[in-house]
Amino acid sequence: MNTKLYKSVLSITDHLMEAAQEQNQGTFDRHYAELKQLCEHNENSDKDHPVQWETLADFTDDLALAVTIYEHALTKAEALNSKDFCSSIGYSIGALKAELGDHSGAIAHLEKAKISSNKIIDKQLKSEIHDLLEELKSK
């Protein structure tokens, strides 16, 4: 991943978190628009990376729109064959789909995330994927 891109996304994320903590919607909206513009500007370039799209989805209040953005991020992660991003994004999609009442869609994404997570070292993420998947399958 491009270091400059990572630093840009991290900086914007810091600003978004600060605005959220201060409950400053105007500042939050400005930084969200900046992140969205960064994503759109880098689309289909050598700087296009799932981290920017996943972050954009993370800060999207509209759950259905967030799922759409996560799905876009997942496509980018799959193209890079990044098991870490496929796992985390798949988990996020599964969790949101469960929250939106799409039980079968949630399970499908979590099952794919679980397979991807077999190749990562993040034990907490592996556990969260497993636990949510088991919870949904038991319903």
Side-chain angles (χ1 to χ4, degrees), residues 77-91:
E78 289 170 342
L80 293 175
N81 197 27
S82 171
K83 301 302 183 191
D84 289 297
F85 282 105
C86 287
S87 300
S88 66
I89 295 166
Y91 172 76

Side-chain angles (χ1 to χ4, degrees), residues 9 16 25 27 35 42 49 51 53 55 68 104 108 113 124 139:
V9 171
L16 285 164
Q25 191 64 48
T27 300
L35 179 58
N42 291 337
H49 195 275
V51 71
W53 295 100
T55 305
T68 300
S104 61
Q124 182 178 348
K139 289 184 178 180

Side-chain angles (χ1 to χ4, degrees), residues 74 85-95 106 109-110 112-113 129:
L74 184 58
F85 282 105
C86 287
S87 300
S88 66
I89 295 166
Y91 172 76
S92 295
I93 294 170
H109 277 281
L110 289 166
K112 284 178 65 176
I129 292 167

